[in-house]
Amino acid sequence: MAEYYFHLSGLSVGYQGTPIIREIEIGIHQGEIVTLIGPNGAGKSTILKTISRQLQPIDGNVVFDRKGITAYTYKELASRMAVVLTERMKPELMTCHDVVATGRYPYTGRLGILTAEDEEKVEEAMRSVHAEELGARDFNAISDGQRQRVLLARAICQEPDVILLDEPTSFLDIRHKLELLAILRSMAKSRKITVIMSLHEIDLAQKVSDKIVCVKGDHIFGYGTPESIFDEKSIRDLYDIDNGYFDPLFGSIELPRVEGDPQVFVLSSCGTGIRVYRSLQKQGIPFAAGILATNDLDYRLARLLAVKTVTAAPFEPVPEQAYAEAGELIRSCQKVILTDFPIASGNAGVRRLIRAAQEEGKLEKTGLQEV
């Protein structure tokens, strides 16, 4: 236990004495970013509320810096742990600067008077989330995304050792999602602040986290590094996905393929077919693709969206069987789309397919706008 900075040991969480998740066993090192993912209602917020002492644990322990969480006074905990949950604050007659300044209260005297040093820390925290222009504005009169940035500034202002965040990116546009996560990443690595949060955007969770906690059912569904968690089967099972795909290489979510006999055969390589594949899918046109090496960028998407993908092993001559299969698809499809990719000695055989498509009168050299 001592090797972990934050340790959930045999922890069961729930409400009114009834556990909804049992026997959570998670060890977190200082400065790690740990993200909880899983379907809505799985209990991610309940875990965060329990480890922040807003809920009593049903069983087990939460150990923080070798000390049980309940052994801290609330003032001690407030100076070491900052919490940003989804419940919306509605403070009356408070500016954004005032809200951020409440993060300094664990360090002030009984009157809550901020020193010049405290004020500088407030300004520094607002600058760190690019919210300095909001300082004089009424907290209740700004957007949800701006509130999220102000609340993060308040957490930073506390100078905590641990920050807990519940869906911190929910109301942010993509620019500010990336900005917020970059700030958290920087804080974790440069200041050794431990970040524990929940996210709905699993692609961002995959990219920013050191560890992932999968929450589903009455036990933790999975725990480990992003590399060990983010595979197609694990994510499909975690979210019960039966209407699309998750690609762990790119961290992308894909809609299901258009089923049916392929109407179009796409000759592509080196990523040039991706935009064409997506355009055909949007139009509801079933298609085939090939001949693609299994390490080709196009293959990553074609295997999910194409009705049929003709493949070949990388760095080896394309077998005649693959040419025969592609030729049959060219004959059966209504048209053949040739994307702009380089043809050299390694893939010179593709010229056979181009000639076959020309002889059938089906070849189109095209980009996305002409599909």
Side-chain angles (χ1 to χ4, degrees):
M1 185 183 299
E3 67 177 316
Y4 293 123
Y5 186 65
F6 209 96
H7 190 198
L8 312 185
S9 176
L11 183 68
S12 295
V13 302
Y15 298 90
Q16 299 177 337
T18 302
I20 62 172
I21 306 174
R22 303 172 185 271
E23 300 176 0
I24 303 170
E25 195 72 36
I26 294 171
I28 301 169
H29 295 289
Q30 187 173 14
E32 284 190 320
I33 295 180
V34 177
T35 303
L36 283 66
I37 65 171
N40 287 336
K44 300 184 294 296
S45 297
T46 305
I47 294 173
L48 292 174
K49 288 178 180 178
T50 302
I51 64 181
S52 63
R53 285 183 69 180
Q54 296 187 36
L55 288 175
Q56 287 292 326
I58 306 297
D59 196 10
N61 299 297
V62 179
V63 178
F64 170 27
D65 197 11
R66 303 185 183 185
K67 185 176 176 181
I69 200 83
T70 55
Y72 289 91
T73 67
Y74 281 103
K75 183 172 182 179
E76 288 173 335
L77 198 60
S79 67
R80 301 199 62 184
M81 179 185 290
V83 183
V84 182
L85 299 180
T86 51
E87 286 85 355
R88 296 188 184 182
M89 286 180 55
K90 290 207 171 182
E92 296 297 329
L93 303 176
M94 288 183 72
T95 66
C96 294
H97 178 278
D98 295 336
V99 171
V100 176
T102 62
R104 297 304 301 165
Y105 285 176
Y107 304 97
T108 64
R110 290 184 178 180
L111 298 178
I113 298 173
L114 272 62
T115 66
E117 181 182 357
D118 289 325
E119 288 289 356
E120 176 53 36
K121 290 183 184 298
V122 172
E123 296 299 328
E124 181 183 347
M126 296 192 76
R127 284 194 297 271
S128 72
V129 298
H130 307 288
E132 55 266 50
E133 78 284 357
L134 301 175
R137 294 184 60 182
D138 182 344
F139 181 79
N140 290 325
I142 61 176
S143 71
D144 287 334
Q146 289 171 325
R147 284 196 190 101
Q148 211 60 339
R149 289 158 62 197
V150 169
L151 293 176
L152 178 61
R154 183 186 65 167
I156 293 170
C157 197
Q158 283 181 239
E159 297 185 309
D161 299 312
V162 176
I163 295 183
L164 305 180
L165 306 103
D166 194 9
E167 301 175 20
T169 58
S170 292
F171 302 110
L172 301 181
D173 59 40
I174 186 61
R175 173 194 165 187
H176 290 109
K177 285 180 195 285
L178 296 174
E179 204 167 68
L180 182 146
L181 293 176
I183 291 166
L184 293 176
R185 188 84 209 170
S186 175
M187 290 168 55
K189 298 312 158 190
S190 63
R191 304 186 199 177
K192 289 294 180 184
I193 294 175
T194 304
V195 178
I196 306 172
M197 63 180 169
S198 63
L199 282 181
H200 278 307
E201 300 92 340
I202 61 173
D203 55 331
L204 296 179
Q206 182 184 16
K207 295 172 177 66
V208 76
S209 308
D210 296 300
K211 299 284 177 55
I212 298 289
V213 181
C214 300
V215 184
K216 181 186 179 184
D218 64 356
H219 286 78
I220 294 300
F221 188 76
Y223 175 61
T225 64
E227 293 76 20
S228 66
I229 293 296
F230 284 94
D231 64 73
E232 290 179 58
K233 185 179 186 307
S234 294
I235 297 301
R236 184 172 62 248
D237 292 346
L238 175 62
Y239 289 97
D240 294 321
I241 297 173
D242 59 5
N243 59 347
Y245 312 96
F246 172 75
D247 185 334
L249 183 62
F250 298 125
S252 61
I253 303 295
E254 303 296 341
L255 294 173
R257 66 170 58 91
V258 180
E259 298 292 352
D261 294 332
Q263 299 174 23
V264 177
F265 185 77
V266 183
L267 270 170
S268 67
S269 185
C270 307
T272 60
I274 289 174
R275 298 174 73 189
V276 178
Y277 301 162
R278 294 200 190 284
S279 179
L280 291 167
Q281 184 195 40
K282 288 174 187 176
Q283 295 176 64
I285 300 173
F287 68 92
I291 298 172
L292 295 172
T294 53
N295 64 345
D296 194 299
L297 279 175
D298 282 356
Y299 170 74
R300 294 297 308 180
L301 189 60
R303 69 193 177 91
L304 302 179
L305 300 189
V307 177
K308 178 67 178 178
T309 304
V310 184
T311 62
F315 312 116
E316 293 183 10
V318 177
E320 282 300 318
Q321 181 182 351
Y323 285 118
E325 188 177 357
E328 182 57 36
L329 285 165
I330 287 172
R331 286 187 290 275
S332 64
C333 287
Q334 298 170 15
K335 69 177 178 179
V336 177
I337 295 175
L338 173 64
T339 63
D340 185 19
F341 64 94
I343 300 175
S345 58
N347 64 345
V350 76
R351 293 193 176 95
R352 293 167 52 181
L353 302 179
I354 294 172
R355 285 195 298 270
Q358 287 172 328
E359 291 168 0
E360 293 278 336
K362 298 178 179 179
L363 185 67
E364 293 186 13
K365 295 183 180 180
T366 185
L368 178 66
Q369 70 280 3
E370 299 171 2
V371 173

